[in-house]
PDB file of all heavy atoms in Angstrom:
ATOM      1  N   VAL A   1       2.270  12.118   5.127  1.00  0.00           N
ATOM      2  CA  VAL A   1       3.422  11.320   4.697  1.00  0.00           C
ATOM      3  C   VAL A   1       4.265  12.105   3.710  1.00  0.00           C
ATOM      4  O   VAL A   1       5.503  12.186   3.843  1.00  0.00           O
ATOM      5  CB  VAL A   1       2.956   9.988   4.073  1.00  0.00           C
ATOM      6  CG1 VAL A   1       4.140   9.252   3.451  1.00  0.00           C
ATOM      7  CG2 VAL A   1       2.285   9.112   5.126  1.00  0.00           C
ATOM      8  N   LEU A   2       3.632  12.706   2.718  1.00  0.00           N
ATOM      9  CA  LEU A   2       4.383  13.428   1.694  1.00  0.00           C
ATOM     10  C   LEU A   2       4.991  14.706   2.245  1.00  0.00           C
ATOM     11  O   LEU A   2       6.115  15.077   1.868  1.00  0.00           O
ATOM     12  CB  LEU A   2       3.476  13.735   0.507  1.00  0.00           C
ATOM     13  CG  LEU A   2       2.940  12.528  -0.265  1.00  0.00           C
ATOM     14  CD1 LEU A   2       2.065  12.974  -1.413  1.00  0.00           C
ATOM     15  CD2 LEU A   2       4.082  11.654  -0.773  1.00  0.00           C
ATOM     16  N   ALA A   3       4.269  15.402   3.130  1.00  0.00           N
ATOM     17  CA  ALA A   3       4.829  16.621   3.725  1.00  0.00           C
ATOM     18  C   ALA A   3       6.105  16.311   4.488  1.00  0.00           C
ATOM     19  O   ALA A   3       7.076  17.089   4.458  1.00  0.00           O
ATOM     20  CB  ALA A   3       3.801  17.277   4.641  1.00  0.00           C
ATOM     21  N   ARG A   4       6.146  15.159   5.158  1.00  0.00           N
ATOM     22  CA  ARG A   4       7.360  14.767   5.876  1.00  0.00           C
ATOM     23  C   ARG A   4       8.435  14.260   4.918  1.00  0.00           C
ATOM     24  O   ARG A   4       9.625  14.598   5.067  1.00  0.00           O
ATOM     25  CB  ARG A   4       7.017  13.690   6.918  1.00  0.00           C
ATOM     26  CG  ARG A   4       6.196  14.235   8.072  1.00  0.00           C
ATOM     27  CD  ARG A   4       5.719  13.143   9.026  1.00  0.00           C
ATOM     28  NE  ARG A   4       4.958  13.712  10.126  1.00  0.00           N
ATOM     29  CZ  ARG A   4       4.320  12.997  11.037  1.00  0.00           C
ATOM     30  NH1 ARG A   4       4.329  11.667  10.991  1.00  0.00           N
ATOM     31  NH2 ARG A   4       3.647  13.601  12.009  1.00  0.00           N
ATOM     32  N   TYR A   5       8.026  13.494   3.950  1.00  0.00           N
ATOM     33  CA  TYR A   5       9.012  12.931   3.009  1.00  0.00           C
ATOM     34  C   TYR A   5       9.772  14.045   2.302  1.00  0.00           C
ATOM     35  O   TYR A   5      10.985  13.954   2.104  1.00  0.00           O
ATOM     36  CB  TYR A   5       8.295  12.055   1.988  1.00  0.00           C
ATOM     37  CG  TYR A   5       9.218  11.235   1.126  1.00  0.00           C
ATOM     38  CD1 TYR A   5       9.768  10.050   1.606  1.00  0.00           C
ATOM     39  CD2 TYR A   5       9.536  11.640  -0.159  1.00  0.00           C
ATOM     40  CE1 TYR A   5      10.628   9.287   0.825  1.00  0.00           C
ATOM     41  CE2 TYR A   5      10.390  10.891  -0.956  1.00  0.00           C
ATOM     42  CZ  TYR A   5      10.937   9.713  -0.459  1.00  0.00           C
ATOM     43  OH  TYR A   5      11.783   8.962  -1.238  1.00  0.00           O
ATOM     44  N   TYR A   6       9.053  15.112   1.942  1.00  0.00           N
ATOM     45  CA  TYR A   6       9.682  16.223   1.232  1.00  0.00           C
ATOM     46  C   TYR A   6      10.040  17.390   2.150  1.00  0.00           C
ATOM     47  O   TYR A   6      10.525  18.419   1.669  1.00  0.00           O
ATOM     48  CB  TYR A   6       8.759  16.728   0.130  1.00  0.00           C
ATOM     49  CG  TYR A   6       8.463  15.691  -0.931  1.00  0.00           C
ATOM     50  CD1 TYR A   6       7.164  15.253  -1.160  1.00  0.00           C
ATOM     51  CD2 TYR A   6       9.483  15.135  -1.697  1.00  0.00           C
ATOM     52  CE1 TYR A   6       6.892  14.298  -2.126  1.00  0.00           C
ATOM     53  CE2 TYR A   6       9.218  14.173  -2.658  1.00  0.00           C
ATOM     54  CZ  TYR A   6       7.925  13.760  -2.868  1.00  0.00           C
ATOM     55  OH  TYR A   6       7.657  12.808  -3.826  1.00  0.00           O
ATOM     56  N   ALA A   7       9.799  17.246   3.468  1.00  0.00           N
ATOM     57  CA  ALA A   7      10.016  18.349   4.415  1.00  0.00           C
ATOM     58  C   ALA A   7       9.389  19.631   3.862  1.00  0.00           C
ATOM     59  O   ALA A   7      10.024  20.687   3.764  1.00  0.00           O
ATOM     60  CB  ALA A   7      11.504  18.542   4.703  1.00  0.00           C
ATOM     61  N   LEU A   8       8.111  19.536   3.538  1.00  0.00           N
ATOM     62  CA  LEU A   8       7.397  20.642   2.898  1.00  0.00           C
ATOM     63  C   LEU A   8       7.367  21.854   3.823  1.00  0.00           C
ATOM     64  O   LEU A   8       6.910  21.759   4.960  1.00  0.00           O
ATOM     65  CB  LEU A   8       5.979  20.176   2.568  1.00  0.00           C
ATOM     66  CG  LEU A   8       5.113  21.113   1.728  1.00  0.00           C
ATOM     67  CD1 LEU A   8       5.689  21.260   0.326  1.00  0.00           C
ATOM     68  CD2 LEU A   8       3.684  20.571   1.652  1.00  0.00           C
ATOM     69  N   ASP A   9       7.858  22.986   3.325  1.00  0.00           N
ATOM     70  CA  ASP A   9       8.039  24.146   4.193  1.00  0.00           C
ATOM     71  C   ASP A   9       6.849  25.103   4.198  1.00  0.00           C
ATOM     72  O   ASP A   9       6.953  26.229   4.701  1.00  0.00           O
ATOM     73  CB  ASP A   9       9.321  24.902   3.803  1.00  0.00           C
ATOM     74  CG  ASP A   9       9.290  25.403   2.364  1.00  0.00           C
ATOM     75  OD1 ASP A   9       8.283  25.157   1.665  1.00  0.00           O
ATOM     76  OD2 ASP A   9      10.280  26.036   1.932  1.00  0.00           O
ATOM     77  N   VAL A  10       5.714  24.669   3.646  1.00  0.00           N
ATOM     78  CA  VAL A  10       4.481  25.464   3.683  1.00  0.00           C
ATOM     79  C   VAL A  10       3.338  24.527   4.062  1.00  0.00           C
ATOM     80  O   VAL A  10       3.470  23.304   3.951  1.00  0.00           O
ATOM     81  CB  VAL A  10       4.191  26.125   2.315  1.00  0.00           C
ATOM     82  CG1 VAL A  10       5.270  27.133   1.953  1.00  0.00           C
ATOM     83  CG2 VAL A  10       4.019  25.076   1.226  1.00  0.00           C
ATOM     84  N   PRO A  11       2.206  25.053   4.512  1.00  0.00           N
ATOM     85  CA  PRO A  11       1.052  24.179   4.755  1.00  0.00           C
ATOM     86  C   PRO A  11       0.677  23.405   3.493  1.00  0.00           C
ATOM     87  O   PRO A  11       0.839  23.898   2.369  1.00  0.00           O
ATOM     88  CB  PRO A  11      -0.055  25.164   5.156  1.00  0.00           C
ATOM     89  CG  PRO A  11       0.676  26.337   5.719  1.00  0.00           C
ATOM     90  CD  PRO A  11       1.930  26.457   4.905  1.00  0.00           C
ATOM     91  N   VAL A  12       0.168  22.203   3.691  1.00  0.00           N
ATOM     92  CA  VAL A  12      -0.125  21.307   2.560  1.00  0.00           C
ATOM     93  C   VAL A  12      -1.028  21.966   1.535  1.00  0.00           C
ATOM     94  O   VAL A  12      -0.824  21.806   0.324  1.00  0.00           O
ATOM     95  CB  VAL A  12      -0.761  19.999   3.086  1.00  0.00           C
ATOM     96  CG1 VAL A  12      -1.393  19.207   1.955  1.00  0.00           C
ATOM     97  CG2 VAL A  12       0.288  19.152   3.797  1.00  0.00           C
ATOM     98  N   ARG A  13      -2.025  22.709   1.980  1.00  0.00           N
ATOM     99  CA  ARG A  13      -2.993  23.287   1.037  1.00  0.00           C
ATOM    100  C   ARG A  13      -2.340  24.242   0.053  1.00  0.00           C
ATOM    101  O   ARG A  13      -2.882  24.491  -1.026  1.00  0.00           O
ATOM    102  CB  ARG A  13      -4.109  23.988   1.792  1.00  0.00           C
ATOM    103  CG  ARG A  13      -3.691  25.211   2.589  1.00  0.00           C
ATOM    104  CD  ARG A  13      -4.832  25.704   3.461  1.00  0.00           C
ATOM    105  NE  ARG A  13      -4.483  26.878   4.233  1.00  0.00           N
ATOM    106  CZ  ARG A  13      -5.208  27.339   5.248  1.00  0.00           C
ATOM    107  NH1 ARG A  13      -6.320  26.687   5.598  1.00  0.00           N
ATOM    108  NH2 ARG A  13      -4.851  28.420   5.904  1.00  0.00           N
ATOM    109  N   GLU A  14      -1.150  24.772   0.382  1.00  0.00           N
ATOM    110  CA  GLU A  14      -0.455  25.672  -0.523  1.00  0.00           C
ATOM    111  C   GLU A  14       0.357  24.932  -1.575  1.00  0.00           C
ATOM    112  O   GLU A  14       0.875  25.561  -2.517  1.00  0.00           O
ATOM    113  CB  GLU A  14       0.452  26.621   0.267  1.00  0.00           C
ATOM    114  CG  GLU A  14      -0.314  27.555   1.196  1.00  0.00           C
ATOM    115  CD  GLU A  14       0.606  28.494   1.949  1.00  0.00           C
ATOM    116  OE1 GLU A  14       1.721  28.772   1.439  1.00  0.00           O
ATOM    117  OE2 GLU A  14       0.219  28.945   3.054  1.00  0.00           O
ATOM    118  N   ALA A  15       0.494  23.609  -1.415  1.00  0.00           N
ATOM    119  CA  ALA A  15       1.292  22.836  -2.376  1.00  0.00           C
ATOM    120  C   ALA A  15       0.573  21.558  -2.798  1.00  0.00           C
ATOM    121  O   ALA A  15       1.204  20.604  -3.233  1.00  0.00           O
ATOM    122  CB  ALA A  15       2.656  22.497  -1.767  1.00  0.00           C
ATOM    123  N   LYS A  16      -0.750  21.562  -2.687  1.00  0.00           N
ATOM    124  CA  LYS A  16      -1.532  20.341  -2.913  1.00  0.00           C
ATOM    125  C   LYS A  16      -1.317  19.785  -4.313  1.00  0.00           C
ATOM    126  O   LYS A  16      -1.126  18.574  -4.493  1.00  0.00           O
ATOM    127  CB  LYS A  16      -3.014  20.648  -2.704  1.00  0.00           C
ATOM    128  CG  LYS A  16      -3.899  19.415  -2.611  1.00  0.00           C
ATOM    129  CD  LYS A  16      -3.828  18.777  -1.254  1.00  0.00           C
ATOM    130  CE  LYS A  16      -4.879  17.696  -1.092  1.00  0.00           C
ATOM    131  NZ  LYS A  16      -4.885  17.118   0.255  1.00  0.00           N
ATOM    132  N   GLU A  17      -1.345  20.632  -5.320  1.00  0.00           N
ATOM    133  CA  GLU A  17      -1.215  20.137  -6.686  1.00  0.00           C
ATOM    134  C   GLU A  17       0.191  19.639  -6.972  1.00  0.00           C
ATOM    135  O   GLU A  17       0.379  18.706  -7.750  1.00  0.00           O
ATOM    136  CB  GLU A  17      -1.634  21.212  -7.682  1.00  0.00           C
ATOM    137  CG  GLU A  17      -3.133  21.520  -7.635  1.00  0.00           C
ATOM    138  CD  GLU A  17      -3.991  20.254  -7.658  1.00  0.00           C
ATOM    139  OE1 GLU A  17      -3.781  19.408  -8.550  1.00  0.00           O
ATOM    140  OE2 GLU A  17      -4.865  20.113  -6.773  1.00  0.00           O
ATOM    141  N   GLU A  18       1.189  20.254  -6.360  1.00  0.00           N
ATOM    142  CA  GLU A  18       2.564  19.754  -6.514  1.00  0.00           C
ATOM    143  C   GLU A  18       2.706  18.371  -5.881  1.00  0.00           C
ATOM    144  O   GLU A  18       3.362  17.477  -6.444  1.00  0.00           O
ATOM    145  CB  GLU A  18       3.552  20.729  -5.886  1.00  0.00           C
ATOM    146  CG  GLU A  18       3.652  22.061  -6.612  1.00  0.00           C
ATOM    147  CD  GLU A  18       4.534  23.036  -5.864  1.00  0.00           C
ATOM    148  OE1 GLU A  18       5.721  22.709  -5.651  1.00  0.00           O
ATOM    149  OE2 GLU A  18       4.043  24.108  -5.464  1.00  0.00           O
ATOM    150  N   LEU A  19       2.119  18.186  -4.710  1.00  0.00           N
ATOM    151  CA  LEU A  19       2.153  16.873  -4.060  1.00  0.00           C
ATOM    152  C   LEU A  19       1.420  15.836  -4.905  1.00  0.00           C
ATOM    153  O   LEU A  19       1.886  14.700  -5.058  1.00  0.00           O
ATOM    154  CB  LEU A  19       1.530  16.956  -2.670  1.00  0.00           C
ATOM    155  CG  LEU A  19       2.283  17.768  -1.623  1.00  0.00           C
ATOM    156  CD1 LEU A  19       1.486  17.811  -0.320  1.00  0.00           C
ATOM    157  CD2 LEU A  19       3.667  17.183  -1.373  1.00  0.00           C
ATOM    158  N   ARG A  20       0.284  16.241  -5.466  1.00  0.00           N
ATOM    159  CA  ARG A  20      -0.479  15.311  -6.298  1.00  0.00           C
ATOM    160  C   ARG A  20       0.338  14.890  -7.525  1.00  0.00           C
ATOM    161  O   ARG A  20       0.362  13.721  -7.905  1.00  0.00           O
ATOM    162  CB  ARG A  20      -1.794  15.957  -6.729  1.00  0.00           C
ATOM    163  CG  ARG A  20      -2.767  14.963  -7.386  1.00  0.00           C
ATOM    164  CD  ARG A  20      -4.022  15.676  -7.890  1.00  0.00           C
ATOM    165  NE  ARG A  20      -4.616  16.523  -6.883  1.00  0.00           N
ATOM    166  CZ  ARG A  20      -5.376  16.085  -5.897  1.00  0.00           C
ATOM    167  NH1 ARG A  20      -5.631  14.782  -5.793  1.00  0.00           N
ATOM    168  NH2 ARG A  20      -5.890  16.927  -5.024  1.00  0.00           N
ATOM    169  N   ALA A  21       1.021  15.861  -8.141  1.00  0.00           N
ATOM    170  CA  ALA A  21       1.827  15.554  -9.318  1.00  0.00           C
ATOM    171  C   ALA A  21       2.988  14.635  -8.966  1.00  0.00           C
ATOM    172  O   ALA A  21       3.322  13.706  -9.725  1.00  0.00           O
ATOM    173  CB  ALA A  21       2.336  16.852  -9.944  1.00  0.00           C
ATOM    174  N   ALA A  22       3.609  14.890  -7.806  1.00  0.00           N
ATOM    175  CA  ALA A  22       4.721  14.037  -7.383  1.00  0.00           C
ATOM    176  C   ALA A  22       4.243  12.614  -7.135  1.00  0.00           C
ATOM    177  O   ALA A  22       4.914  11.637  -7.505  1.00  0.00           O
ATOM    178  CB  ALA A  22       5.363  14.613  -6.117  1.00  0.00           C
ATOM    179  N   LEU A  23       3.064  12.469  -6.517  1.00  0.00           N
ATOM    180  CA  LEU A  23       2.521  11.140  -6.256  1.00  0.00           C
ATOM    181  C   LEU A  23       2.100  10.461  -7.559  1.00  0.00           C
ATOM    182  O   LEU A  23       2.332   9.263  -7.754  1.00  0.00           O
ATOM    183  CB  LEU A  23       1.325  11.258  -5.305  1.00  0.00           C
ATOM    184  CG  LEU A  23       0.709   9.957  -4.799  1.00  0.00           C
ATOM    185  CD1 LEU A  23       1.708   9.168  -3.967  1.00  0.00           C
ATOM    186  CD2 LEU A  23      -0.550  10.249  -3.981  1.00  0.00           C
ATOM    187  N   GLN A  24       1.484  11.220  -8.458  1.00  0.00           N
ATOM    188  CA  GLN A  24       1.034  10.659  -9.729  1.00  0.00           C
ATOM    189  C   GLN A  24       2.189  10.061 -10.526  1.00  0.00           C
ATOM    190  O   GLN A  24       2.032   9.048 -11.214  1.00  0.00           O
ATOM    191  CB  GLN A  24       0.342  11.753 -10.549  1.00  0.00           C
ATOM    192  CG  GLN A  24      -0.220  11.281 -11.885  1.00  0.00           C
ATOM    193  CD  GLN A  24      -1.337  10.260 -11.717  1.00  0.00           C
ATOM    194  OE1 GLN A  24      -2.331  10.532 -11.071  1.00  0.00           O
ATOM    195  NE2 GLN A  24      -1.169   9.078 -12.294  1.00  0.00           N
ATOM    196  N   ALA A  25       3.352  10.661 -10.387  1.00  0.00           N
ATOM    197  CA  ALA A  25       4.506  10.223 -11.178  1.00  0.00           C
ATOM    198  C   ALA A  25       5.005   8.840 -10.794  1.00  0.00           C
ATOM    199  O   ALA A  25       5.796   8.247 -11.535  1.00  0.00           O
ATOM    200  CB  ALA A  25       5.638  11.244 -11.031  1.00  0.00           C
ATOM    201  N   LEU A  26       4.563   8.310  -9.663  1.00  0.00           N
ATOM    202  CA  LEU A  26       5.117   7.031  -9.206  1.00  0.00           C
ATOM    203  C   LEU A  26       4.060   5.962  -8.969  1.00  0.00           C
ATOM    204  O   LEU A  26       4.375   4.886  -8.458  1.00  0.00           O
ATOM    205  CB  LEU A  26       5.940   7.235  -7.933  1.00  0.00           C
ATOM    206  CG  LEU A  26       5.262   7.903  -6.735  1.00  0.00           C
ATOM    207  CD1 LEU A  26       4.651   6.885  -5.810  1.00  0.00           C
ATOM    208  CD2 LEU A  26       6.238   8.785  -6.010  1.00  0.00           C
ATOM    209  N   VAL A  27       2.798   6.220  -9.345  1.00  0.00           N
ATOM    210  CA  VAL A  27       1.746   5.209  -9.133  1.00  0.00           C
ATOM    211  C   VAL A  27       2.034   3.984 -10.001  1.00  0.00           C
ATOM    212  O   VAL A  27       2.125   4.089 -11.218  1.00  0.00           O
ATOM    213  CB  VAL A  27       0.358   5.776  -9.476  1.00  0.00           C
ATOM    214  CG1 VAL A  27      -0.704   4.694  -9.298  1.00  0.00           C
ATOM    215  CG2 VAL A  27       0.038   6.973  -8.588  1.00  0.00           C
ATOM    216  N   PRO A  28       2.187   2.799  -9.394  1.00  0.00           N
ATOM    217  CA  PRO A  28       2.509   1.591 -10.153  1.00  0.00           C
ATOM    218  C   PRO A  28       1.266   0.925 -10.728  1.00  0.00           C
ATOM    219  O   PRO A  28       0.141   1.404 -10.538  1.00  0.00           O
ATOM    220  CB  PRO A  28       3.170   0.701  -9.102  1.00  0.00           C
ATOM    221  CG  PRO A  28       2.443   1.064  -7.843  1.00  0.00           C
ATOM    222  CD  PRO A  28       2.137   2.542  -7.943  1.00  0.00           C
ATOM    223  N   GLN A  29       1.448  -0.196 -11.410  1.00  0.00           N
ATOM    224  CA  GLN A  29       0.310  -0.918 -11.965  1.00  0.00           C
ATOM    225  C   GLN A  29      -0.624  -1.423 -10.861  1.00  0.00           C
ATOM    226  O   GLN A  29      -1.841  -1.459 -11.052  1.00  0.00           O
ATOM    227  CB  GLN A  29       0.794  -2.086 -12.832  1.00  0.00           C
ATOM    228  CG  GLN A  29       1.410  -1.639 -14.160  1.00  0.00           C
ATOM    229  CD  GLN A  29       1.694  -2.809 -15.075  1.00  0.00           C
ATOM    230  OE1 GLN A  29       1.989  -3.908 -14.615  1.00  0.00           O
ATOM    231  NE2 GLN A  29       1.612  -2.566 -16.372  1.00  0.00           N
ATOM    232  N   ARG A  30      -0.066  -1.813  -9.731  1.00  0.00           N
ATOM    233  CA  ARG A  30      -0.901  -2.199  -8.590  1.00  0.00           C
ATOM    234  C   ARG A  30      -1.393  -0.931  -7.884  1.00  0.00           C
ATOM    235  O   ARG A  30      -1.137  -0.681  -6.726  1.00  0.00           O
ATOM    236  CB  ARG A  30      -0.123  -3.082  -7.615  1.00  0.00           C
ATOM    237  CG  ARG A  30       0.142  -4.494  -8.099  1.00  0.00           C
ATOM    238  CD  ARG A  30       1.010  -5.249  -7.083  1.00  0.00           C
ATOM    239  NE  ARG A  30       0.366  -5.350  -5.773  1.00  0.00           N
ATOM    240  CZ  ARG A  30       0.984  -5.814  -4.677  1.00  0.00           C
ATOM    241  NH1 ARG A  30       2.268  -6.200  -4.746  1.00  0.00           N
ATOM    242  NH2 ARG A  30       0.330  -5.883  -3.529  1.00  0.00           N
ATOM    243  N   ALA A  31      -2.142  -0.128  -8.632  1.00  0.00           N
ATOM    244  CA  ALA A  31      -2.512   1.195  -8.138  1.00  0.00           C
ATOM    245  C   ALA A  31      -3.367   1.121  -6.878  1.00  0.00           C
ATOM    246  O   ALA A  31      -3.198   1.917  -5.959  1.00  0.00           O
ATOM    247  CB  ALA A  31      -3.252   1.963  -9.228  1.00  0.00           C
ATOM    248  N   GLY A  32      -4.295   0.161  -6.838  1.00  0.00           N
ATOM    249  CA  GLY A  32      -5.163   0.055  -5.671  1.00  0.00           C
ATOM    250  C   GLY A  32      -4.414  -0.333  -4.424  1.00  0.00           C
ATOM    251  O   GLY A  32      -4.601   0.261  -3.350  1.00  0.00           O
ATOM    252  N   ASP A  33      -3.548  -1.344  -4.527  1.00  0.00           N
ATOM    253  CA  ASP A  33      -2.756  -1.751  -3.364  1.00  0.00           C
ATOM    254  C   ASP A  33      -1.803  -0.637  -2.947  1.00  0.00           C
ATOM    255  O   ASP A  33      -1.570  -0.416  -1.750  1.00  0.00           O
ATOM    256  CB  ASP A  33      -1.973  -3.027  -3.677  1.00  0.00           C
ATOM    257  CG  ASP A  33      -2.844  -4.272  -3.630  1.00  0.00           C
ATOM    258  OD1 ASP A  33      -3.989  -4.177  -3.145  1.00  0.00           O
ATOM    259  OD2 ASP A  33      -2.382  -5.339  -4.073  1.00  0.00           O
ATOM    260  N   PHE A  34      -1.259   0.089  -3.918  1.00  0.00           N
ATOM    261  CA  PHE A  34      -0.343   1.182  -3.590  1.00  0.00           C
ATOM    262  C   PHE A  34      -1.086   2.286  -2.830  1.00  0.00           C
ATOM    263  O   PHE A  34      -0.578   2.798  -1.816  1.00  0.00           O
ATOM    264  CB  PHE A  34       0.288   1.749  -4.859  1.00  0.00           C
ATOM    265  CG  PHE A  34       1.205   2.908  -4.613  1.00  0.00           C
ATOM    266  CD1 PHE A  34       2.459   2.702  -4.042  1.00  0.00           C
ATOM    267  CD2 PHE A  34       0.821   4.203  -4.939  1.00  0.00           C
ATOM    268  CE1 PHE A  34       3.319   3.773  -3.799  1.00  0.00           C
ATOM    269  CE2 PHE A  34       1.665   5.273  -4.700  1.00  0.00           C
ATOM    270  CZ  PHE A  34       2.916   5.067  -4.136  1.00  0.00           C
ATOM    271  N   ALA A  35      -2.273   2.639  -3.298  1.00  0.00           N
ATOM    272  CA  ALA A  35      -3.048   3.680  -2.615  1.00  0.00           C
ATOM    273  C   ALA A  35      -3.339   3.276  -1.177  1.00  0.00           C
ATOM    274  O   ALA A  35      -3.191   4.065  -0.238  1.00  0.00           O
ATOM    275  CB  ALA A  35      -4.346   3.947  -3.375  1.00  0.00           C
ATOM    276  N   GLN A  36      -3.766   2.031  -0.993  1.00  0.00           N
ATOM    277  CA  GLN A  36      -4.098   1.566   0.359  1.00  0.00           C
ATOM    278  C   GLN A  36      -2.847   1.425   1.218  1.00  0.00           C
ATOM    279  O   GLN A  36      -2.888   1.653   2.433  1.00  0.00           O
ATOM    280  CB  GLN A  36      -4.856   0.241   0.266  1.00  0.00           C
ATOM    281  CG  GLN A  36      -6.229   0.417  -0.367  1.00  0.00           C
ATOM    282  CD  GLN A  36      -6.940  -0.905  -0.612  1.00  0.00           C
ATOM    283  OE1 GLN A  36      -7.916  -1.220   0.066  1.00  0.00           O
ATOM    284  NE2 GLN A  36      -6.455  -1.679  -1.560  1.00  0.00           N
ATOM    285  N   ALA A  37      -1.728   1.065   0.591  1.00  0.00           N
ATOM    286  CA  ALA A  37      -0.469   0.977   1.336  1.00  0.00           C
ATOM    287  C   ALA A  37      -0.059   2.339   1.873  1.00  0.00           C
ATOM    288  O   ALA A  37       0.348   2.469   3.043  1.00  0.00           O
ATOM    289  CB  ALA A  37       0.626   0.419   0.426  1.00  0.00           C
ATOM    290  N   MET A  38      -0.178   3.370   1.053  1.00  0.00           N
ATOM    291  CA  MET A  38       0.197   4.705   1.495  1.00  0.00           C
ATOM    292  C   MET A  38      -0.751   5.200   2.589  1.00  0.00           C
ATOM    293  O   MET A  38      -0.330   5.860   3.548  1.00  0.00           O
ATOM    294  CB  MET A  38       0.200   5.665   0.309  1.00  0.00           C
ATOM    295  CG  MET A  38       1.299   5.377  -0.718  1.00  0.00           C
ATOM    296  SD  MET A  38       2.976   5.585  -0.047  1.00  0.00           S
ATOM    297  CE  MET A  38       3.058   7.372   0.134  1.00  0.00           C
ATOM    298  N   MET A  39      -2.029   4.861   2.462  1.00  0.00           N
ATOM    299  CA  MET A  39      -2.972   5.206   3.531  1.00  0.00           C
ATOM    300  C   MET A  39      -2.574   4.518   4.836  1.00  0.00           C
ATOM    301  O   MET A  39      -2.600   5.129   5.915  1.00  0.00           O
ATOM    302  CB  MET A  39      -4.384   4.771   3.148  1.00  0.00           C
ATOM    303  CG  MET A  39      -4.994   5.504   1.980  1.00  0.00           C
ATOM    304  SD  MET A  39      -6.622   4.780   1.575  1.00  0.00           S
ATOM    305  CE  MET A  39      -6.972   5.584   0.009  1.00  0.00           C
ATOM    306  N   ASP A  40      -2.213   3.243   4.742  1.00  0.00           N
ATOM    307  CA  ASP A  40      -1.826   2.495   5.942  1.00  0.00           C
ATOM    308  C   ASP A  40      -0.550   3.055   6.561  1.00  0.00           C
ATOM    309  O   ASP A  40      -0.408   3.093   7.791  1.00  0.00           O
ATOM    310  CB  ASP A  40      -1.635   1.017   5.602  1.00  0.00           C
ATOM    311  CG  ASP A  40      -2.957   0.275   5.478  1.00  0.00           C
ATOM    312  OD1 ASP A  40      -4.012   0.931   5.490  1.00  0.00           O
ATOM    313  OD2 ASP A  40      -2.941  -0.972   5.352  1.00  0.00           O
ATOM    314  N   LEU A  41       0.386   3.482   5.727  1.00  0.00           N
ATOM    315  CA  LEU A  41       1.607   4.101   6.252  1.00  0.00           C
ATOM    316  C   LEU A  41       1.260   5.308   7.120  1.00  0.00           C
ATOM    317  O   LEU A  41       1.779   5.475   8.221  1.00  0.00           O
ATOM    318  CB  LEU A  41       2.517   4.551   5.106  1.00  0.00           C
ATOM    319  CG  LEU A  41       3.521   3.564   4.536  1.00  0.00           C
ATOM    320  CD1 LEU A  41       4.360   4.239   3.464  1.00  0.00           C
ATOM    321  CD2 LEU A  41       4.426   3.019   5.631  1.00  0.00           C
ATOM    322  N   GLY A  42       0.374   6.155   6.590  1.00  0.00           N
ATOM    323  CA  GLY A  42      -0.004   7.347   7.342  1.00  0.00           C
ATOM    324  C   GLY A  42      -0.792   7.037   8.593  1.00  0.00           C
ATOM    325  O   GLY A  42      -0.712   7.759   9.586  1.00  0.00           O
ATOM    326  N   ALA A  43      -1.565   5.955   8.556  1.00  0.00           N
ATOM    327  CA  ALA A  43      -2.402   5.612   9.711  1.00  0.00           C
ATOM    328  C   ALA A  43      -1.643   4.888  10.806  1.00  0.00           C
ATOM    329  O   ALA A  43      -2.015   4.976  11.986  1.00  0.00           O
ATOM    330  CB  ALA A  43      -3.579   4.749   9.243  1.00  0.00           C
ATOM    331  N   THR A  44      -0.587   4.168  10.450  1.00  0.00           N
ATOM    332  CA  THR A  44       0.066   3.303  11.438  1.00  0.00           C
ATOM    333  C   THR A  44       1.526   3.648  11.714  1.00  0.00           C
ATOM    334  O   THR A  44       1.974   3.558  12.857  1.00  0.00           O
ATOM    335  CB  THR A  44       0.006   1.832  10.975  1.00  0.00           C
ATOM    336  OG1 THR A  44       0.739   1.689   9.749  1.00  0.00           O
ATOM    337  CG2 THR A  44      -1.428   1.384  10.767  1.00  0.00           C
TER     338      THR A  44
END
């Protein structure tokens, strides 16, 4: 999901920590529902 959202121009493993930091910056108080929502987006 994040590789597509940012049109990441390298394999994910080369930018894993940058992706993690970008995701960390937007985790809301409903952190559990948000995590599962993002998983569901990628799965469906």
